[in-house]
Amino acid sequence: MSKGLKVIISGGGTGGHIFPAISIANAIKGKRPDAEILFVGAEGRMEMQRVPAAGYEIKGLPICGFDRKNPLRNVKVLFKIWKSQRMAKQIIKAFQPDVAVGVGGYASGPTLNKAAAMGIPCLIQEQNSYAGITNKLLAKKAKKICVAYEGMERFFPSEKIMLTGNPIRQSLLHTNSSKEAALESFGLEPAKKTVLIVGGSLGARTLNESVLGHLKEIAAANMQFIWQTGKYYSAEIRERLLQAGQPDNLKVTDFITDMGAAYQATDLVISRAGAGSISEFCLLGKPVILVPSPNVAEDHQTKNAMALVNREAALMVKDTEAGKKLIPLAIATANDDAKLASLHENILKMALPDSADIIADEVIKLANK
């Protein structure tokens, strides 16, 4: 009987890092039910809640990013990095993993650095088309680098790269709801085109302002809209809709619990261009208008979006132009059946299915070596 497999998975900070990490863990457990999996995250970040909710143990490091606006505060950041390195070493010595996996985010830096220094094979997973700083620094020490986009030789040694795609939330692929049932769950009409506007769990001000600036056009459109405002903006938006008047064909919610049903119900999605969301759209074949966030490192969301736009697999509106162009473009696109069909076909061609299983196989191979 083979000894149990022990895996450390580190990273987080955003859903874009956490969802793939949990999907990889689930895939490893599916292949090796005997596997022990320990997550290492950053204290105070969302992984400290999301990972235990998914059924896994997590240890937190006091790590944080550098403050570019106030350099003097970085003395404290350097101390936290040093402390995190020491804690990561202690966690690894106590857990004794066979392999370490980094998904990007602050915590993966010290964890994988120490794992590699202790002779533990490391795999990193890069979600974006433009590699993050942590993964670029870890690339030399990693045995395998799993990526979601072609052309990543710009950032990583080509002999280590494997094109796997991004693992996504499995619940999205296995929804049992029909389109009619999904529309009914939102109180929408089955005969009308439906547009989903979603800016992530916290929301996106640009998307929200674009909607609020075009309420008359929305009301006049012979279609219906689902608008996830994000919890951060919901109270302000409720107030503004009370003053301006909410169109009957606009369903407003601060958070959508069942994203599988939301995608199933809609003909067109408006979204930011996070790597995880794009992977979902590809696998589901969803026509999408992407509005890249300008508030991300190296403008990587624009690069993510352009990888699709260059293949006519998505439309893109710049953040600075969204206030004028976004809603008129969405209405025109939703009314254009040929355009929707073309976007659906082209984005499906970019899908890389079974990512979590492929990455899990690589993790197990590294552990066995």
Side-chain angles (χ1 to χ4, degrees):
M1 189 172 166
S2 61
K3 81 175 187 76
L5 171 68
K6 287 191 165 189
V7 183
I8 271 185
I9 301 179
S10 185
T14 66
H17 293 310
I18 297 163
F19 292 134
I22 291 170
S23 292
I24 293 165
N26 291 342
I28 292 168
K29 288 292 278 185
K31 293 169 186 293
R32 288 285 300 268
D34 63 323
E36 284 183 64
I37 298 174
L38 176 67
F39 280 75
V40 180
E43 289 174 357
R45 305 290 286 189
M46 64 191 288
E47 58 264 29
M48 301 308 292
Q49 283 77 45
R50 293 288 175 89
V51 169
Y56 294 101
E57 184 185 355
I58 187 166
K59 303 278 187 187
L61 303 179
I63 189 89
C64 63
F66 283 102
D67 192 328
R68 291 184 176 90
K69 292 179 181 174
N70 299 292
L72 288 175
R73 290 185 185 171
N74 288 327
V75 174
K76 194 180 282 187
V77 174
L78 288 168
F79 173 72
K80 286 184 175 183
I81 291 170
W82 173 79
K83 189 177 178 185
S84 295
Q85 296 269 12
R86 289 191 64 188
M87 287 175 67
K89 187 176 181 179
Q90 290 166 357
I91 290 166
I92 293 163
K93 281 179 81 171
F95 185 66
Q96 296 191 326
D98 301 295
V99 60
V101 179
V103 295
Y106 300 134
S108 63
T111 307
L112 267 74
N113 263 323
K114 286 299 173 188
M118 294 162 77
I120 294 155
C122 297
L123 175 148
I124 59 177
Q125 196 255 331
E126 174 56 59
Q127 294 97 26
N128 291 292
S129 61
Y130 195 94
I133 289 171
T134 303
N135 278 347
K136 281 193 275 190
L137 292 172
L138 291 171
K140 287 178 185 173
K141 299 175 182 181
K143 298 282 187 192
K144 184 69 72 175
I145 302 168
C146 297
V147 301
Y149 292 89
E150 292 173 351
M152 297 302 284
E153 297 83 5
R154 294 176 295 159
F155 309 108
F156 305 128
S158 59
E159 69 277 6
K160 296 182 180 182
I161 293 173
M162 184 173 184
L163 184 64
T164 60
N166 282 325
I168 71 164
R169 293 172 280 183
Q170 297 305 302
S171 59
L172 299 179
L173 293 174
H174 304 303
T175 179
N176 296 317
S177 177
S178 66
K179 184 173 183 178
E180 289 72 22
L183 284 162
E184 194 177 310
S185 72
F186 286 98
L188 298 171
E189 296 178 37
K192 285 188 174 179
K193 293 278 179 60
T194 306
V195 177
L196 171 66
I197 305 155
V198 59
S201 56
L202 295 177
R205 181 172 288 282
T206 297
L207 303 192
N208 291 341
E209 291 297 332
S210 299
V211 175
L212 289 166
H214 289 85
L215 292 174
K216 286 182 182 175
E217 291 91 331
I218 287 170
N222 185 29
M223 60 187 66
Q224 49 206 0
F225 298 78
I226 304 170
W227 178 21
Q228 180 182 285
T229 63
K231 294 184 177 180
Y232 184 78
Y233 299 103
S234 61
E236 176 199 342
I237 285 168
R238 271 199 307 271
E239 189 64 37
R240 288 172 69 178
L241 284 172
L242 276 173
Q243 294 169 9
Q246 181 176 331
D248 293 336
N249 60 341
L250 179 64
K251 299 290 175 185
V252 185
T253 178
D254 63 345
F255 184 74
I256 297 169
T257 309
D258 189 349
M259 279 305 298
Y263 286 147
Q264 187 82 306
T266 53
D267 301 281
L268 177 69
V269 182
I270 294 170
S271 171
R272 287 302 200 189
S277 297
I278 285 178
S279 295
E280 291 171 1
F281 304 143
C282 290
L283 284 162
L284 297 169
K286 279 287 142 191
V288 61
I289 300 174
L290 298 168
V291 185
S293 171
N295 309 312
V296 294
E298 309 283 0
D299 194 27
H300 70 251
Q301 285 204 5
T302 296
K303 297 174 178 80
N304 290 350
M306 288 308 299
L308 273 70
V309 172
N310 290 336
R311 296 192 184 192
E312 298 184 348
L315 302 176
M316 187 183 90
V317 174
K318 290 179 182 176
D319 190 84
T320 51
E321 298 176 351
K324 283 186 180 177
K325 294 183 178 179
L326 182 58
I327 297 304
L329 177 63
I331 292 168
T333 305
N335 277 323
D336 187 339
D337 287 339
K339 188 67 178 175
L340 289 177
S342 169
L343 289 169
H344 166 72
E345 287 171 21
N346 291 341
I347 201 168
L348 265 181
K349 290 174 190 170
M350 297 190 70
L352 291 165
D354 307 318
S355 299
D357 281 329
I358 295 165
I359 295 167
D361 284 336
E362 292 303 310
V363 172
I364 293 165
K365 276 185 209 169
L366 281 180
N368 290 338
K369 282 180 185 175

